[in-house]
Amino acid sequence: MSTFLEEIDHTSLPRHIAVIMDGNGRWAKKHGKPRIFGHKNGVQAVREITECAAETGIEYLTLYAFSTENWGRPALEVTALMHLLVETVKNEIKTLMKNDIRLNAIGDLNQLPKKTHDALISGIEMTKDNKRMTLTLALNYSSRWELTEAIKVISTKVSDGTIATEDINSELISAHLTTHNIPDPELLIRTSGEHRVSNYLLWQIAYTEFYFTDIFWPEFKKQHLLEAILDYQNRERRFGKTSDQLI
Ligand code: IPE
Ligand code: IPE
Ligand code: MG
């Protein structure tokens, strides 16, 4: 583990890392346990990765915790997940305060069960002045939902004359997304061997570097995060230009 830490260049860290925490269910199955056992162990990984990201100097960490499509799972799993979220947010406040981490959430929060919603809002409020890192939970989030909402707001502004059609540009669209106060991620990590985006931050990842690992989320440890950061640092980000232009 320490080798990765030593190899990391602290002057060129990604400011924002987004994660699709996947594989809880398969990890549980591998251990002959129910899926919710995987989610519970996934919380342990959230704790470890959050702490490691903050210690490494990452400014923004955004974790995909529940997608709008996840409502389609068996009711028992959805209920257990919502309950786990309440418990986790409540239990983690102390650690977030100790580590100076601000909690944030993106997604259609009003459609969450009241207890989950309230625990989240109170966690956000309690940590709002923390400065070291912003931990964003994507909860009842999907990119198509987010873009649809942004289009509704923008079109209302056009029709009531607040903005002109000509004012619509990339910056204006970004400013109407739930991530308006967060820079685009430089690095996106997905665990569990799946190579897809599953409706996550579609607009924001236009030039993000992707890192896929076969490791299931409950097994994703500090050393794996550091390995992903190191891999990112060995990429050449060209943004449409040629290699020669970057020298
Ligand atoms: C990710 O693990 C957690 C959530 C989507 C809530 P999964 O529950 O998707 O686990 P797999 O992909 O079925 O193994
Ligand atoms: C993506 O994982 C959503 C979260 C990690 C919360 P899923 O397991 O729901 O994605 P798919 O269904 O495999 O694409
Ligand atoms: Mg999955």
Side-chain angles (χ1 to χ4, degrees):
M1 190 208 295
S2 59
T3 31
F4 289 134
L5 194 55
E6 282 155 22
E7 282 177 60
I8 284 176
D9 174 2
H10 286 266
T11 64
S12 67
L13 287 171
R15 286 187 74 199
H16 180 185
I17 299 179
V19 184
I20 302 176
M21 311 183 286
D22 200 12
N24 291 353
R26 279 164 286 162
W27 180 84
K29 195 172 180 189
K30 195 176 85 175
H31 292 274
K33 304 273 194 203
R35 293 179 57 84
I36 192 65
F37 179 75
H39 297 313
K40 284 184 181 155
N41 279 271
V43 172
Q44 183 57 43
V46 168
R47 189 176 299 130
E48 179 160 339
I49 294 313
T50 301
E51 203 163 59
C52 176
E55 278 168 7
T56 310
I58 304 302
E59 292 173 62
Y60 300 89
L61 179 68
T62 302
L63 306 176
Y64 206 0
F66 194 87
S67 75
T68 53
E69 287 79 15
N70 289 147
W71 293 111
R73 293 189 177 197
L76 220 63
E77 180 172 346
V78 171
T79 310
L81 271 169
M82 290 299 148
H83 181 71
L84 190 61
L85 275 161
V86 177
E87 292 303 305
T88 307
V89 170
K90 284 187 178 164
N91 290 341
E92 295 308 311
I93 296 295
K94 252 199 206 157
T95 320
L96 294 178
M97 293 306 291
K98 191 187 87 195
N99 289 317
D100 197 17
I101 297 169
R102 182 170 77 97
L103 182 66
N104 179 38
I106 55 171
D108 194 357
L109 307 182
N110 290 325
Q111 301 306 317
L112 292 170
K114 191 175 179 325
K115 272 191 181 170
T116 313
H117 175 269
D118 292 354
L120 204 59
I121 299 300
S122 101
I124 291 170
E125 177 59 27
M126 283 167 82
T127 60
K128 71 177 191 314
D129 295 324
N130 292 349
K131 298 272 183 299
R132 193 180 184 198
M133 186 179 84
T134 298
L135 170 67
T136 301
L137 299 180
L139 261 174
N140 194 16
Y141 174 89
S142 84
S143 219
R144 287 187 175 181
W145 162 81
E146 174 181 54
L147 287 163
T148 306
E149 291 307 304
I151 290 165
K152 284 186 204 163
V153 173
I154 294 170
S155 58
T156 305
K157 286 184 181 174
V158 169
S159 58
D160 70 17
T162 318
I163 56 170
T165 304
E166 300 72 51
D167 295 335
I168 300 173
N169 56 25
S170 175
E171 285 73 32
L172 184 121
I173 293 170
S174 293
H176 283 81
L177 300 179
T178 59
T179 49
H180 58 90
N181 50 1
I182 303 174
D184 289 344
E186 290 88 353
L187 174 62
L188 171 74
I189 299 171
R190 183 167 188 153
T191 58
S192 88
E194 306 296 357
H195 297 183
R196 57 177 169 265
V197 178
S198 303
N199 219 345
Y200 193 40
L201 304 172
L202 299 180
W203 173 272
Q204 297 88 338
I205 58 174
Y207 266 103
T208 298
E209 297 293 330
F210 290 8
Y211 182 86
F212 297 110
T213 169
D214 287 342
I215 294 165
F216 292 139
W217 178 251
E219 289 170 337
F220 194 79
K221 305 284 175 219
K222 285 183 180 192
Q223 83 219 49
H224 302 117
L225 177 68
L226 298 175
E227 201 174 351
I229 295 172
L230 203 57
D231 192 274
Y232 160 83
Q233 291 187 328
N234 287 311
R235 310 265 179 104
E236 184 178 68
R237 304 189 75 205
R238 290 192 285 277
F239 299 99
K241 296 185 175 169
T242 69
S243 238
D244 291 345
Q245 287 177 292
L246 302 173
I247 303 164

